[in-house]
Amino acid sequence: TAANWSSSSIPTSSIILSIPTGLSNYPTIATGTSAVSKTIAMASGTSLIASGTATLSGDITYTRGGLGTDWHLVSTPVVGEDLADVISNCTLATGTGSNVGLAIYNNSTPAWEYCVNSSTGAMSSGSAYSVKLSSGDLLFTGTMPEADVSAVTSAGSTSWNLIGNPYPSYIAINSSANSTNFIGENTSNLESSYVSIYVWDASTSQYAVINQASDACYLSPGQGFFVNVNSGVSSLAITESMQSHQSSETFYRSGSTSPTIKLLATKGDLTKTTTIKYFETASTGLDIGYDAGLFTG
């Protein structure tokens, strides 16, 4: 559709395309369409959806900005990215010896396993990592995800697994966001006291709990999170139908609220919180998908 393009004409496959921030609409490739592009440069918080059987030939470079120099949980929103590419193309923090600010969560130990300057290996769709930059932005380059994703999990010694959003678009986490959502699709695969996702909030140095009791949550492209899986569960479903466009990048997007009490406990400079919400359908027992245990990974 020519009018959708800044040039008012449909670009050819030799053109490098840019998707900037601040748009009121973001592109969806209609189902059945085969699109071709030389390169698509996507700014942080932007989104692109390949609907149904749509395909896209050509590379995408997605910029994940606004991370500063804190630790964050991230995932690749493209297919075919490699640890070596991220290490060479981004300015990661440095640590002991040749360690860099890119780590894999090993739930058998459990511990963070830090990458070094020479680390290699594919960053599979649905997997996630801990990242700390010394400056600049995080860059991911690969091809468009065009199918449902099964994020690989294992019981390990703790049942906690670090996974993430595999699409260059937002995904619905709970039913307040969309009837097809991550928690709803995976309730039976998550441990009953932890039917939630746990997202690291660098501003408070705590894991934020998001579940069916939370306001509407659309998780940003490139966002990683922890889950606690049942024994024997080898993967969790992250499907194309969970995708949506959102107008701005946020940690998670709030919708309507329920009657809420927030409790805080403070010791010195350390503050911990828990939130109590009221629903007519809630009980005094365990309400699966609404009550959430503390992150212990």
Side-chain angles (χ1 to χ4, degrees):
T1 302
N4 287 343
W5 298 94
S6 59
S7 62
S8 297
S9 62
I10 301 171
T12 66
S13 59
S14 62
I15 299 296
I16 296 176
L17 304 179
S18 174
I19 302 178
T21 57
L23 303 180
S24 56
N25 294 290
Y26 285 95
T28 295
I29 306 171
T31 186
T33 301
S34 296
V36 180
S37 173
K38 183 176 181 180
T39 301
I40 299 179
M42 299 183 64
S44 189
T46 62
S47 58
L48 175 65
I49 294 174
S51 181
T53 59
T55 61
L56 172 65
S57 298
D59 283 342
I60 295 172
T61 295
Y62 197 100
T63 298
R64 176 72 178 165
L67 301 182
T69 56
D70 296 314
W71 283 102
H72 291 272
L73 303 181
V74 301
S75 58
T76 173
V78 296
V79 176
E81 183 56 288
D82 186 273
L83 292 171
D85 291 338
V86 172
I87 293 170
S88 62
N89 294 329
C90 305
T91 309
L92 298 171
T94 56
T96 304
S98 58
N99 287 356
V100 295
L102 180 61
I104 299 168
Y105 182 73
N106 182 336
N107 70 348
S108 293
T109 308
W112 291 105
E113 297 179 348
Y114 296 96
C115 294
V116 297
N117 288 317
S118 59
S119 292
T120 60
M123 301 176 75
S124 58
S125 291
S127 60
Y129 307 83
S130 184
V131 167
K132 181 179 175 66
L133 298 171
S134 62
S135 63
D137 297 325
L138 193 60
L139 303 176
F140 298 101
T141 298
T143 58
M144 183 73 186
E146 298 169 353
D148 295 344
V149 171
S150 295
V152 176
T153 62
S154 63
S157 63
T158 68
S159 296
W160 290 101
N161 286 258
L162 180 57
I163 63 174
N165 182 357
Y167 301 110
S169 59
Y170 293 75
I171 58 170
I173 294 300
N174 53 17
S175 56
S176 296
N178 188 24
S179 58
T180 303
N181 59 85
F182 176 81
I183 293 175
E185 292 294 303
N186 293 286
T187 296
S188 63
N189 292 322
L190 299 174
E191 208 283 328
S192 60
S193 294
Y194 301 93
V195 181
S196 311
I197 71 167
Y198 294 75
V199 182
W200 178 249
D201 185 349
S203 65
T204 62
S205 297
Q206 296 185 72
Y207 283 95
V209 179
I210 304 170
N211 60 12
Q212 301 293 23
S214 306
D215 296 336
C217 174
Y218 303 91
L219 214 59
S220 301
Q223 178 68 62
F225 55 92
F226 274 100
V227 289
N228 192 307
V229 300
N230 283 323
S231 177
V233 173
S234 59
S235 66
L236 297 176
I238 309 175
T239 64
E240 288 189 291
S241 57
M242 297 175 188
Q243 296 179 92
S244 70
H245 298 296
Q246 300 297 320
S247 59
S248 62
E249 182 173 26
T250 52
F251 168 58
Y252 58 88
R253 293 179 59 80
S254 297
S256 60
T257 59
S258 301
T260 302
I261 296 173
K262 190 170 186 178
L263 304 178
L264 299 91
T266 301
K267 181 179 180 181
D269 293 333
L270 182 65
T271 298
K272 296 294 184 181
T273 66
T274 190
T275 301
I276 300 170
K277 290 196 174 187
Y278 290 86
F279 298 91
E280 290 184 358
T281 56
S283 71
T284 56
L286 174 65
D287 293 307
I288 295 175
Y290 291 81
D291 293 321
L294 185 70
F295 177 80
T296 59

